[in-house]
Amino acid sequence: MSYFDAASSAPLHPVARQALLASLDEGWADPSRLYREGRRARLLLDAAREAAAEAVGCRADELTFTSSGTRAVHSGIAGALAGRRRVGRHLIVSAVEHSSVLHSAELFEVTEVPVSRTGAVSPQAYVDALRPDTALACLQSANHEVGTVQPVAEVAAVCRQAGVPLLVDAAQSLGWGPVEGEWSLLTASAHKWGGPSGVGLLAVRKGVRFSPQGPADERESGRAPGFENLPAIVAAAASLRAVRAEAAQEAVRLRELTARIRARVPRLVPDVDVVGDPEKRLPGIVTFSCLYVDGETLLHELDREGFSVSSGSSCTSSTLTPSHVLKAMGVLSEGNVRVSLPPGATSEDVERFLEVLPGAVAAVREKLGAPTPSAVARDDSLVVDALGKRCPIPVIELAKVIGDVPVGGTVRVLSDDEAARLDIPAWCEMREQEYVGEEPADNGTAYVIRRIR
């Protein structure tokens, strides 16, 4: 079985396993106590904090261990906004932030900064979003779904000039290196770099106004209540140091493997859109979307072939809405596959994936009745009733009939699936057809497409 979903959770690093087992014997006591066992536990906790702070690029007394990366985000945003409550409650986020950031933002007044088709923000967009009552800005260091690296240093500079702190979600990138720029707060999650789950990091620079929320607690400077999971913390810090030592060499190797996937998938599989920035991206992530494919079915096909991957397709979501990241980028969401290679992934694994993928996609398309070459054009205008049908059926039905209208003719696709609002324009761009726009329709929306070739 080839595990290609490291962006969700990386396999436990051997150093993490060793440190975890060792600290189970040595770090079980309360580190706040003054007797021998407590002092031994405190030494382990202090050493772990020093190691993690060095990797983050902050002082040890600026770093707090939390119960998860999500808890670090929630605590960081709430504490920073509470610390600057006299300024206001306005928060700036990018449209492609992790859900933990977006869910926290729902409690405040938010400006959402758009991204380009590659998934990157513009620093100028943050300048434009700043207001006198802006208390905090947030920006991920790199995107978790498509791997695009964000211009954190540039955004941090404009925020600093305006006197607004910037919180950086570094969950995906911290294992590869420190975050550049003058950020104010930073969060991360150990299981993303091969540490154990249940450990997050929250760094708050000295001078940043911060007021921890919730009942007071004496542990972790009052920012993370509850007894520290010392064995997991020690393992997280040890594995972060270990992966950093391997990062430069491993990054070169994984970049070559993901570049191979990016280049060859469009040649092996027809009607594929490779998304994300081709250059400014994390080493191990590559994402592509396949027309006329149900994402969930494709993931099951690949799983049967021995590959564990993830997807941002609406078909794999309980809400039946496409990934907010793909939606913000304006790219195809149907048949989406994210390959995120773990450290140690081999060239042989990648080659076997490239051998298996075309057949898996073809099998799914056949099951769904994907289009074959079109017949002679007959009508100037057609209507496709796809009401009640979910991804990717509306696009498949469109592709089947586009050849039945002459060049200049139109097709109206009736759909009540939110994914169609994203996928039909993306299909038009991929197939060089004109997307005219949408019109109100009974029980849904009519998407108008003009045939131009």
Side-chain angles (χ1 to χ4, degrees):
M1 192 75 181
S2 296
Y3 181 74
F4 282 1
D5 195 22
S8 292
S9 187
L12 193 66
H13 193 283
V15 168
R17 184 182 300 276
Q18 294 169 5
L20 183 63
L21 293 175
S23 56
L24 285 171
D25 292 330
E26 298 295 325
W28 50 268
D30 187 343
S32 67
R33 302 307 179 196
L34 299 180
Y35 42 71
R36 182 184 297 108
E37 295 85 355
R39 295 197 305 271
R40 185 184 300 132
R42 169 57 62 179
L43 287 173
L44 288 173
L45 180 59
D46 289 346
R49 198 183 311 277
E50 289 281 353
E54 181 182 2
V56 168
C58 67
R59 293 169 33 164
D61 59 354
E62 295 174 330
L63 187 138
T64 298
F65 291 109
T66 67
S67 58
S68 68
T70 294
R71 172 53 61 189
V73 167
H74 291 176
S75 299
I77 291 177
L81 286 169
R84 287 171 52 82
R85 58 186 175 275
R86 292 185 179 179
V87 173
R89 290 173 59 83
H90 179 235
L91 174 65
I92 303 173
V93 302
S94 83
V96 294
E97 293 299 312
H98 188 269
S99 59
S100 60
V101 173
L102 299 181
H103 290 160
S104 288
E106 291 173 355
L107 302 175
F108 306 96
E109 186 178 353
V110 183
T111 295
E112 197 171 90
V113 172
V115 297
S116 67
R117 193 170 174 82
T118 65
V121 302
S122 162
Q124 184 59 44
Y126 273 76
V127 174
D128 297 340
L130 288 166
R131 303 185 336 200
D133 62 340
T134 301
L136 180 67
C138 299
L139 179 62
Q140 58 189 194
S141 54
N143 187 259
H144 49 292
E145 289 194 30
V146 300
T148 297
V149 173
Q150 300 288 2
V152 171
E154 292 89 337
V155 172
V158 301
C159 289
R160 190 175 187 86
Q161 186 175 6
V164 174
L166 177 69
L167 182 147
V168 178
D169 171 15
Q172 286 298 333
S173 73
L174 192 61
W176 297 108
V179 176
E180 302 296 331
E182 297 181 287
W183 48 266
S184 302
L185 303 95
L186 181 143
T187 63
S189 186
H191 73 98
K192 299 289 188 178
W193 67 68
S197 58
V199 179
L201 305 181
L202 170 61
V204 182
R205 297 281 198 193
K206 292 296 182 183
V208 175
R209 292 185 178 276
F210 190 90
S211 178
Q213 298 302 285
D217 194 282
E218 69 275 10
R219 297 183 185 273
E220 292 298 303
S221 302
R223 295 175 182 170
F227 197 92
E228 298 93 344
N229 185 350
L230 188 53
I233 287 172
V234 170
S239 58
L240 180 55
R241 175 176 286 180
V243 297
R244 278 290 189 81
E246 305 160 353
Q249 184 175 356
E250 189 66 7
V252 172
R253 204 177 64 80
L254 291 187
R255 283 191 189 280
E256 190 281 325
L257 294 178
T258 52
R260 192 185 309 179
I261 296 172
R262 288 182 67 90
R264 288 177 57 187
V265 164
R267 298 201 298 264
L268 294 169
V269 182
D271 297 318
V272 165
D273 186 15
V274 181
V275 301
D277 196 292
E279 299 296 334
K280 297 178 181 179
R281 58 186 176 84
L282 292 174
I285 297 179
V286 57
T287 305
F288 54 89
S289 299
C290 308
L291 275 174
Y292 323 130
V293 169
D294 177 324
E296 184 174 8
T297 305
L298 179 56
L299 262 59
H300 287 319
E301 289 286 340
L302 291 171
D303 183 51
R304 279 193 286 270
E305 294 290 346
F307 293 96
S308 301
V309 299
S310 65
S311 173
S313 291
S314 58
C315 313
T316 63
S317 167
S318 60
T319 62
L320 293 178
T321 57
S323 150
H324 72 278
V325 172
L326 301 177
K327 186 175 182 180
M329 293 167 62
V331 298
L332 184 71
S333 73
E334 68 182 56
N336 179 260
V337 174
R338 180 188 67 183
V339 173
S340 49
L341 303 176
T346 66
S347 177
E348 291 75 17
D349 289 338
V350 169
E351 286 299 320
R352 195 169 70 84
F353 175 77
L354 293 171
E355 290 175 6
V356 164
L357 181 66
V361 173
V364 176
R365 285 174 172 168
E366 183 178 3
K367 290 177 183 177
L368 294 174
T372 54
S374 58
V376 178
R378 295 184 297 274
D379 299 321
D380 289 338
S381 180
L382 288 176
V383 176
V384 173
D385 186 351
L387 293 170
K389 299 176 181 178
R390 296 293 178 250
C391 79
I393 300 302
V395 180
I396 289 177
E397 295 300 322
L398 166 61
K400 284 180 178 180
V401 303
I402 191 68
D404 291 346
V405 298
V407 172
T410 60
V411 176
R412 281 174 167 74
V413 180
L414 306 181
S415 177
D416 53 0
D417 182 11
E418 180 64 25
R421 181 165 281 111
L422 179 64
D423 289 347
I424 289 176
W427 179 90
C428 291
E429 182 165 334
M430 290 178 67
R431 301 309 297 268
E432 299 180 356
Q433 306 294 353
E434 180 185 354
Y435 177 65
V436 178
E438 61 180 71
E439 302 171 348
D442 292 341
N443 302 318
T445 302
Y447 299 92
V448 185
I449 302 90
R450 178 175 290 110
R451 182 182 176 189
I452 60 175
R453 58 184 297 273

